[in-house]
Amino acid sequence: MLCVQVLLLLCLVSSFQIAGTCDTPTGTFKPSDHGKISIDATTTLLMGASGTVAIAPDTLGYSNTYDYFKGYIVKKQYQTSFIPLWLKTKRTIAEETNCVSELGNGLTVAGYSEGGYGAFAIAEAAESAGIDIQAVLSGAGPYLTSSALLTTGYTAMVDGSFPLSRRHYKIQLGQSYSSTYSGMENHGAGQDLLADSWFVGSTQYTKYDAINAVTNLGGSNRLNKLVPSPISIDSLDVWNPAAVKFFKDAMSEGLLKPCDDIDGAAAAGVDRLCQALQASDLEHYINSIGTKYSYELCFSYDDDAIDSANVIQGGPAFTNNAFEVTGNHDEAGTYCIRRFVNYFDSPNFTSYVPQRTGGYCGVNGSASSSSQPSSGPSSSLSYEPSGSTSNHPSSVPSSLPSPLPSETQSHQPSSSPSTSPSFGPSESPSTSSSSESSESQSQQPSSAPSSSSSS
């Protein structure tokens, strides 16, 4: 039995308007998009052709849920998008090969921008489901949803440095935290992130216009029209004035984590909103990883969309596993994604030997309807499982990342620990073919490694 490795791919280029995970609104893949070529599909096909199973989740599921609310930077929704696809992939491989092949339990997750955030969100859910995380390769993610994402976002809007073409981010984030999901901490509490109404020129819009625009596949151009321009303090009129004042006051007082001030948040009337933002914040999870698996946070101090504070303010667990590149959000993305690709050709990835786990196949490789895999976290939010960490162990590569030729001028903000993945070129490592031969000699079913990526 052949065990297959898995790679999870999250949207790698956030600014492109294409079918698949990279659409705006995120996760969109409507029926009319069938047959189109996307970066997600191309990457998945390339990884699949190398003998690795690649999964590209699209938030809620291809086609059938294209018109649902999209949970932009809502942690539980990324987790929900992954677990069903993992189980379906596991079952499909078992059924279509009559259990000759089985999905292995090893998972590598990669993503940039929103995908960088989703990579860690999915890793948390995968860990809790007992999946063996090999590595998380993340770049430019808005990891600190209750602090740096909003405080630096406020500053960039006020000083006009936020990219004009990306102002739709404020609408996307706003609709996710505006009572669109029952079960979120601020649902129905009168503390939505979107303002009730605002003007763009002489045209008045309401929060429901914004929510409908996101849900009905408005695309970035339509969403941009809902935000006052040029970029200025007026661009924040789309957000709840109480929330804007709360973060403004925090910045003036030098508070990096204003939502940690429970009394202050309550006095400002945003305590429930803060609780919702904290529930999706990845600081606690990333700080809990330790040496369980290898991970990297690729970032640029010159990123004009996702401020480097999302890495620097996370503490040692962030900075010790960070790799600095140069350029704005798009330029940095080319370097970070190249590092991801290099990793897939490194010994850490190619020499991994996936292990048979059973699942939909019996221990001897025969079909078994009674053997079911773990279903993962339970759901406490519409479409979303409750995220929880686990102490599931995983082997950690000890080699440090080596800079790419074009990145020799960049440096890491602090010394890297042994949990950093190796991105060096492969030195004739053993590949999945070696695990196939050893398995065929023993006549035991094998499992292929799994990988995934997100945007």
Side-chain angles (χ1 to χ4, degrees):
M1 180 179 185
L2 171 64
C3 268
V4 186
Q5 185 175 16
V6 181
L7 170 67
L8 179 60
L9 301 173
L10 305 175
C11 178
L12 297 178
V13 184
S14 61
S15 61
F16 285 12
Q17 290 298 297
I18 57 178
T21 325
C22 301
D23 265 341
T24 299
T26 183
T28 299
F29 197 103
K30 54 187 181 295
S32 60
D33 285 330
H34 283 294
K36 294 182 179 179
I37 299 298
S38 71
I39 287 180
D40 295 315
T42 302
T43 306
T44 303
L45 288 171
L46 288 173
M47 293 306 301
S50 70
T52 294
V53 173
I55 303 173
D58 72 334
T59 301
L60 286 174
Y62 282 100
S63 299
N64 290 337
T65 55
Y66 76 93
D67 57 350
Y68 285 12
F69 292 124
K70 304 302 187 291
Y72 181 72
I73 314 301
V74 174
K75 181 173 68 173
K76 293 178 182 177
Q77 194 158 103
Y78 297 90
Q79 296 170 336
T80 299
S81 74
F82 165 70
I83 294 295
L85 286 177
W86 174 273
L87 298 177
K88 179 64 174 179
T89 302
K90 194 176 187 73
R91 181 170 186 168
T92 298
I93 291 176
E95 291 180 344
E96 293 192 357
T97 66
N98 195 27
C99 287
V100 171
S101 294
E102 177 190 345
L103 187 67
N105 203 45
L107 176 69
T108 296
V109 194
Y112 185 78
S113 191
E114 182 192 356
Y117 173 90
F120 280 108
I122 287 175
E124 180 181 28
E127 232 193 309
S128 69
I131 297 169
D132 180 21
I133 308 297
Q134 292 176 252
V136 173
L137 315 175
S138 177
Y143 315 109
L144 307 182
T145 57
S146 64
S147 56
L149 174 63
L150 295 179
T151 55
T152 61
Y154 169 84
T155 301
M157 297 299 274
V158 172
D159 64 21
S161 62
F162 195 83
L164 182 66
S165 63
R166 298 183 192 272
R167 65 189 187 277
H168 57 83
Y169 286 4
K170 308 307 174 184
I171 296 294
Q172 288 177 261
L173 186 66
Q175 71 87 28
S176 295
Y177 290 88
S178 294
S179 298
T180 44
Y181 299 99
S182 61
M184 288 184 69
E185 289 74 5
N186 67 325
H187 184 272
Q191 297 186 18
D192 292 344
L193 182 53
L194 283 174
D196 289 334
S197 64
W198 62 91
F199 283 90
V200 177
S202 60
T203 304
Q204 184 177 28
Y205 294 103
T206 70
K207 74 170 68 174
Y208 302 106
D209 292 326
I211 292 171
N212 289 334
V214 172
T215 306
N216 296 323
L217 314 182
S220 59
N221 289 334
R222 179 181 174 187
L223 299 184
N224 277 337
K225 292 178 181 178
L226 300 177
V227 182
S229 62
I231 297 297
S232 68
I233 184 66
D234 294 338
S235 302
L236 289 173
D237 288 351
V238 301
W239 280 359
N240 182 339
V244 173
K245 183 178 185 303
F246 178 68
F247 286 104
K248 174 185 177 182
D249 291 345
M251 293 301 292
S252 65
E253 296 172 15
L255 298 178
L256 298 180
K257 300 177 181 180
C259 281
D260 286 354
D261 180 5
I262 300 174
D263 293 337
V270 297
D271 52 316
R272 297 282 291 277
L273 174 59
C274 272
Q275 291 171 22
L277 292 165
Q278 288 174 323
S280 287
D281 200 298
L282 290 170
E283 182 176 7
H284 175 74
Y285 174 66
I286 294 176
N287 275 289
S288 74
I289 295 171
T291 58
K292 287 185 290 187
Y293 61 77
S294 170
Y295 65 97
E296 178 179 280
L297 300 96
C298 186
F299 82 105
S300 169
Y301 281 111
D302 301 318
D303 194 320
D304 54 352
I306 305 298
D307 196 276
S308 60
N310 280 276
V311 171
I312 304 306
Q313 291 179 11
F318 286 69
T319 56
N320 288 347
N321 291 278
F323 187 87
E324 183 194 348
V325 295
T326 59
N328 62 27
H329 192 67
D330 290 330
E331 294 165 346
T334 62
Y335 294 122
C336 293
I337 294 170
R338 281 182 59 197
R339 289 183 62 76
F340 302 166
V341 173
N342 272 19
Y343 178 80
F344 300 142
D345 190 38
S346 73
N348 280 346
F349 186 78
T350 59
S351 63
Y352 177 83
V353 179
Q355 302 299 312
R356 179 177 62 83
T357 58
Y360 288 96
C361 298
V363 292
N364 294 320
S366 58
S368 172
S369 59
S370 63
S371 179
Q372 298 294 327
S374 167
S375 59
S378 60
S379 174
S380 61
L381 181 65
S382 300
Y383 326 122
E384 305 169 359
S386 59
S388 62
T389 60
S390 117
N391 58 4
H392 180 70
S394 172
S395 59
V396 180
S398 60
S399 52
L400 302 178
S402 55
L404 300 178
S406 61
E407 300 166 354
T408 53
Q409 300 304 313
S410 67
H411 60 279
Q412 297 178 6
S414 62
S415 59
S416 299
S418 61
T419 52
S420 298
S422 171
F423 293 82
S426 172
E427 298 176 359
S428 302
S430 59
T431 64
S432 58
S433 61
S434 63
S435 64
E436 292 177 36
S437 61
S438 62
E439 290 161 359
S440 61
Q441 292 170 4
S442 61
Q443 298 302 310
Q444 290 297 318
S446 64
S447 52
S450 58
S451 55
S452 59
S453 59
S454 54
S455 64

